[in-house]
Amino acid sequence: MSSPSVRSTVVRAGVRRGLLETKHSLTNAGELAWYLLMPAIFAAVLVFMRDSTVPGTDFALGAMVLPGLIGMSIAMGGLLGAPSIIAAEREDGTLLRAKATPHGMPAYLIAKIVTLTLTTLITLLLLVFPALLVIEHLRFGEARSWAILAAIFALGMLTTVPIGAAIGAMLKSTAQFGWIWLSSMFFVGVSGIFYPLTALPLWLQWVGQALPFYWLGLGSRAALLPAEMAVVEIGESWRTVEMLGVLGVWAVLGFVLAPVLLRRMARRESGSSVAARREEFLTRSY
Amino acid sequence: MEVRDLRMRYGAKDVLDGVDLTAHRGEVLALLGPNGAGKTTTIEILEGFRMRSAGEVSVLGVDPAHGGEDWRARLGVVLQSWRDHSKWKVNELLDYLGLFYGPYSTQDRPRPWPTGELLDLVGLTGQADLRIKSLSGGQRRRLDLAIGIVGRPELIFLDEPTAGMDPHGRRDFQDLVHRLSDFEAATILLTTHDLAEAERLADRILILDGGRIVAEGSADELARQMSTHAEVRWTTDGERHVHSAAGDPTGFVRQLLATHPEVSDLEVRRANLEDTYLGLVQRAENITELEEVTR
């Protein structure tokens, strides 16, 4: 329906907005601290685990955790990043501005994808610094590792950003975001990132394997750990096909649900709904 | 812009109960009414942000419920900002929003409005490089206005535009509205509960009360139309009498003098537009208080 000139304008505006917001976020102390959180956790983990090895092997436990953290950062970028941004920007009227602008909504979504991709990438790059401590155990020197990591990153963003956006569209206020945060902590607990999945009760293993966290962690381990480490995993393999399958299902689910829910949410935005949320926010804070 | 028999119902409550209004190109229309009269609901339906329950609505020749993005490009909606885009600089945001209007530029309406000119117009040139969160409330309202007109709209919606502005800001705002309607030929619909402001700004005032337009016209016409009430005061035998005469005060006085020849100090006072409007606002407030008490 829209002409090519409109389409290129929307893409250009969206990318510009995404870059600008990434820049704003990198010059904000609070958000910078957030980017440093994951590397800090990892550094702490390395210190605590410095003498531990994976049971039954002489492989450093700390090196085992790094790929899991890569998976977790990717998953958090989409599953927590997207809903927190959407809930906040719906409350403060940013979404309504996008709606009042011709083709503002698609540009807004493009911008969010750009921003989330870049900020997640920055978190991942920062993980490299503590990773240097255990570098000799990891397969960073191989082209194969980087190809798999790039694929996991792309697949992870495709999977988690739409699902995160769908969750964000369902939130009624930023206050509800706390629940998302708590439940994601639980999901990380059963994701096999800090604690091997095989050591958990069987039903929790199933919960863990239903969610993207586990598979993104597993994929990163496949990229970075020596091939013989696969024996520690469920089924004693990296289960690449299953990984693609589960992540694929989540991606499809996200791409089906997100546009419907986002459209529904956008349809309900108006000056008075933003004003009502502002009132609610102000009464909440006193 | 044309509205016929617009209705809006939430549950069992009729917020709009048959609103009719027409606006011509270049006209400034003020929708005046007490809080809760349905002003915001009306304007949000016209903006295409809210679905109506019934009635016919045409805005720039299009039904807002089905208005596409090309239609939206011709509208200017002035929203009240709060914390949105707080990390952006003033000129960053105007540049960004202007991008969307480029494809809709025409010979007689070059779009978007260049950021520098726009900042000059609303008096924010000195704040161009500041972050939006550092603006004062009044400066923010000026920015909201600049955002609303960055696409050189043919039709501008302003919901309570001067709320929170100081007198100086109000004055500047009124000049700007006149400029937009005179030089840009923009049609403007604004809501306000301030009668004086409506009188100064609008070519035509529509008074909305209880979900209906109860009066319509220029300030002068309204004064005549709505002032059917009059108060008659007189003295008989040193005693003061007051009578509120609706409809035909002249007839009442004629009869009074015929039957009571001793009447002295006769005084007939017509209620002016302000009295009538204040009476209306007063009534609306009483109703709101009553609702709060019963709740």
Side-chain angles (χ1 to χ4, degrees):
Chain A
M1 204 168 82
S2 48
S3 70
S5 84
V6 169
R7 239 172 294 151
S8 80
T9 301
V10 169
V11 173
R12 257 186 305 128
V15 171
R16 177 159 157 186
R17 183 188 180 105
L19 294 175
L20 206 55
E21 288 189 325
T22 309
K23 191 182 103 189
H24 291 156
S25 146
L26 288 177
T27 50
N28 179 294
E31 287 178 52
L32 264 181
W34 174 248
Y35 297 131
L36 294 171
L37 181 67
M38 215 46 102
I41 291 177
F42 181 47
V45 166
L46 285 182
V47 170
F48 280 113
M49 292 182 172
R50 61 186 177 277
D51 297 324
S52 317
T53 56
V54 177
T57 67
D58 57 358
F59 194 79
L61 199 52
M64 180 93 173
V65 172
L66 174 74
L69 284 178
I70 290 178
M72 181 170 138
S73 301
I74 296 171
M76 293 287 209
L79 289 176
L80 283 182
S84 73
I85 291 175
I86 287 175
E89 299 200 329
R90 185 185 187 192
E91 189 164 88
D92 71 20
T94 307
L95 267 171
L96 181 61
R97 285 237 192 265
K99 190 184 170 186
T101 311
H103 302 284
M105 272 302 189
Y108 174 84
L109 290 179
I110 292 171
K112 291 304 128 183
I113 293 167
V114 170
T115 309
L116 285 170
T117 306
L118 288 177
T119 52
T120 307
L121 207 54
I122 291 165
T123 313
L124 292 180
L125 291 176
L126 289 174
L127 273 179
V128 168
F129 293 104
L132 291 174
L133 296 173
V134 284
I135 195 84
E136 73 275 16
H137 300 286
L138 299 167
R139 297 164 76 180
F140 271 120
E142 296 167 41
R144 172 192 162 277
S145 308
W146 291 101
I148 299 179
L149 279 181
I152 292 284
F153 177 66
L155 188 60
M157 293 317 280
L158 282 177
T159 308
T160 57
V161 172
I163 285 286
I167 293 170
M170 286 190 293
L171 292 182
K172 287 197 177 61
S173 73
T174 45
Q176 290 180 336
F177 181 69
W179 293 105
I180 309 275
W181 173 250
L182 275 179
S183 44
S184 74
M185 285 296 116
F186 168 74
F187 294 141
V188 167
V190 297
S191 67
I193 287 170
F194 294 108
Y195 198 67
L197 206 58
T198 43
L200 293 175
L202 196 61
W203 70 273
L204 279 178
Q205 290 189 26
W206 283 109
V207 173
Q209 289 182 75
L211 296 164
F213 295 95
Y214 169 74
W215 296 99
L216 290 170
L218 181 67
S220 311
R221 286 198 291 277
L224 291 174
L225 298 184
E228 59 272 19
M229 287 308 291
V231 293
V232 198
E233 303 291 342
I234 295 172
E236 299 186 9
S237 118
W238 298 123
R239 293 196 289 171
T240 313
V241 179
E242 287 92 330
M243 177 191 79
L244 292 176
V246 175
L247 292 180
V249 167
W250 279 102
V252 169
L253 200 66
F255 273 94
V256 170
L257 286 179
V260 176
L261 292 171
L262 286 170
R263 227 173 273 142
R264 189 189 68 151
M265 172 190 73
R267 209 170 37 237
R268 294 176 177 178
E269 287 309 292
S270 67
S272 48
S273 59
V274 171
R277 277 196 294 274
R278 171 170 46 195
E279 284 302 308
E280 201 207 307
F281 177 87
L282 293 175
T283 41
R284 216 194 298 146
S285 19
Y286 295 117
Chain B
M1 184 161 68
E2 182 113 32
V3 175
R4 288 280 154 268
D5 196 29
L6 177 61
R7 282 163 196 281
M8 188 73 198
R9 177 179 272 266
Y10 295 118
K13 191 168 180 264
D14 283 313
V15 178
L16 297 178
D17 187 18
V19 169
D20 295 299
L21 69 90
T22 311
H24 306 290
R25 192 181 151 86
E27 199 175 23
V28 180
L29 225 62
L31 205 52
L32 180 69
N35 293 332
K39 302 188 298 280
T40 298
T41 305
T42 306
I43 213 164
E44 288 187 351
I45 289 171
L46 298 176
E47 288 165 349
F49 287 167
R50 197 177 275 272
M51 299 302 265
R52 61 187 183 269
S53 305
E56 275 167 50
V57 180
S58 166
V59 173
L60 297 172
V62 174
D63 180 345
H66 308 291
E69 300 298 303
D70 297 351
W71 170 76
R72 183 149 304 285
R74 300 164 62 201
L75 298 185
V77 176
V78 176
L79 300 163
Q80 291 214 23
S81 68
W82 172 33
R83 300 184 305 182
D84 66 288
H85 297 94
S86 59
K87 289 179 215 151
W88 292 54
K89 289 177 182 165
V90 170
N91 53 9
E92 274 176 353
L93 184 58
L94 288 174
D95 283 342
Y96 167 75
L97 291 171
L99 288 177
F100 292 89
Y101 296 91
Y104 299 100
S105 189
T106 58
Q107 199 80 64
D108 53 315
R109 239 176 227 279
R111 289 170 164 129
W113 209 312
T115 301
E117 272 181 45
L118 197 54
L119 287 171
D120 193 35
L121 195 69
V122 299
L124 282 179
T125 308
Q127 285 74 32
D129 280 317
L130 290 186
R131 299 215 182 268
I132 292 174
K133 66 175 153 211
S134 67
L135 296 184
S136 72
Q139 289 170 339
R140 220 163 213 227
R141 302 295 295 132
R142 287 162 190 256
L143 175 63
D144 291 337
L145 195 65
I147 292 171
I149 61 175
V150 68
R152 270 190 206 265
E154 291 157 54
L155 173 61
I156 305 171
F157 292 109
L158 301 141
D159 196 6
E160 305 276 352
T162 55
M165 272 193 193
D166 58 17
H168 181 68
R170 271 168 201 259
R171 182 59 162 283
D172 286 352
F173 170 77
Q174 285 158 7
D175 291 344
L176 183 59
V177 166
H178 287 137
R179 216 197 118 147
L180 289 170
S181 77
D182 294 345
F183 300 115
E184 293 286 317
T187 311
I188 297 172
L189 177 66
L190 58 96
T191 69
T192 177
H193 51 239
D194 182 353
L195 175 70
E197 182 166 282
E199 269 186 289
R200 261 195 301 271
L201 283 173
D203 299 320
R204 211 141 49 81
I205 301 173
L206 295 105
I207 300 185
L208 192 65
D209 181 41
R212 292 171 160 277
I213 304 276
V214 293
E216 175 182 351
S218 67
D220 286 346
E221 286 164 3
L222 280 179
R224 261 173 277 138
Q225 229 179 73
M226 291 189 71
S227 310
T228 50
H229 280 266
E231 223 171 49
V232 184
R233 294 160 184 263
W234 68 92
T235 311
T236 50
D237 304 331
E239 208 180 319
R240 196 77 180 137
H241 298 272
V242 182
H243 176 83
S244 172
D248 182 19
T250 318
F252 174 80
V253 171
R254 187 174 289 131
Q255 206 188 346
L256 178 75
L257 291 176
T259 50
H260 298 81
E262 74 279 15
V263 164
S264 63
D265 283 341
L266 181 68
E267 216 180 301
V268 182
R269 193 172 152 269
R270 237 171 219 283
N272 61 18
L273 178 57
E274 203 176 338
D275 293 333
T276 318
Y277 177 65
L278 287 179
L280 208 112
V281 173
Q282 186 65 51
R283 188 160 56 87
E285 275 170 5
N286 289 343
I287 292 171
T288 323
E289 275 167 25
L290 193 69
E291 276 173 357
E292 273 164 15
V293 169
T294 46
R295 213 179 283 155

